[in-house]
Amino acid sequence: MFKKKFNKQLLFLKSVNRIYKGNNLVYVDFMDMPAKLGKAWHFLLKYSSSNYLSDNFSESVTNWIFWFYERNPGIRFNYTKNNLYSISLLDPKQKRIEIKIKE
């Protein structure tokens, strides 16, 4: 439905790498661009959910975001044929998450 109704905005979101696929779902990072997306922003807002990387992220009332295990984040750089394709680390509950790199 989004693709049909807001194709121009969809193409824009793809061009700025704001669409992610994982867990058989599609995630769109759109929150900081209401003016740019217009009515598409309001459409997407109805489907907002927690972060696609982990359900264990949280924030404080002062907007401090807790998204990694502070004692030992366990950072790993993942390569294929000498090309960095992702960075993985532990979320606040020590579940390993992976952030894909698009070059």
Side-chain angles (χ1 to χ4, degrees):
M1 181 196 282
F2 183 79
K3 184 178 182 178
K4 271 186 169 180
K5 194 169 184 176
F6 301 106
N7 193 52
K8 183 178 175 183
Q9 292 87 341
L10 175 65
L11 293 173
F12 168 73
L13 289 164
K14 284 181 178 180
S15 75
V16 293
N17 299 319
R18 293 295 191 101
I19 298 178
Y20 310 93
K21 294 179 182 178
N23 305 325
N24 296 319
L25 296 171
V26 175
Y27 298 90
V28 181
D29 181 3
F30 68 97
M31 292 305 286
D32 62 337
M33 49 181 69
K36 198 101 160 143
L37 296 176
K39 290 180 182 181
W41 188 87
H42 295 284
F43 177 91
L44 291 169
L45 189 60
K46 292 184 276 184
Y47 299 96
S48 64
S49 64
S50 60
N51 191 289
Y52 75 99
L53 292 170
S54 172
D55 291 332
N56 300 322
F57 294 174
S58 63
E59 64 183 278
S60 70
V61 293
T62 58
N63 291 331
W64 183 266
I65 299 173
F66 302 95
W67 66 279
F68 64 90
Y69 184 59
E70 289 187 46
R71 288 189 203 149
N72 181 5
I75 297 172
R76 294 181 189 161
F77 297 96
N78 305 310
Y79 293 88
T80 297
K81 298 179 183 177
N82 293 326
N83 291 318
L84 180 66
Y85 74 87
S86 72
I87 299 170
S88 68
L89 61 143
L90 301 174
D91 76 2
K93 293 188 178 178
Q94 299 182 54
K95 175 185 162 196
R96 184 150 297 277
I97 59 173
E98 181 178 37
I99 302 167
K100 297 199 176 173
I101 308 294
K102 198 170 193 178
E103 293 184 14

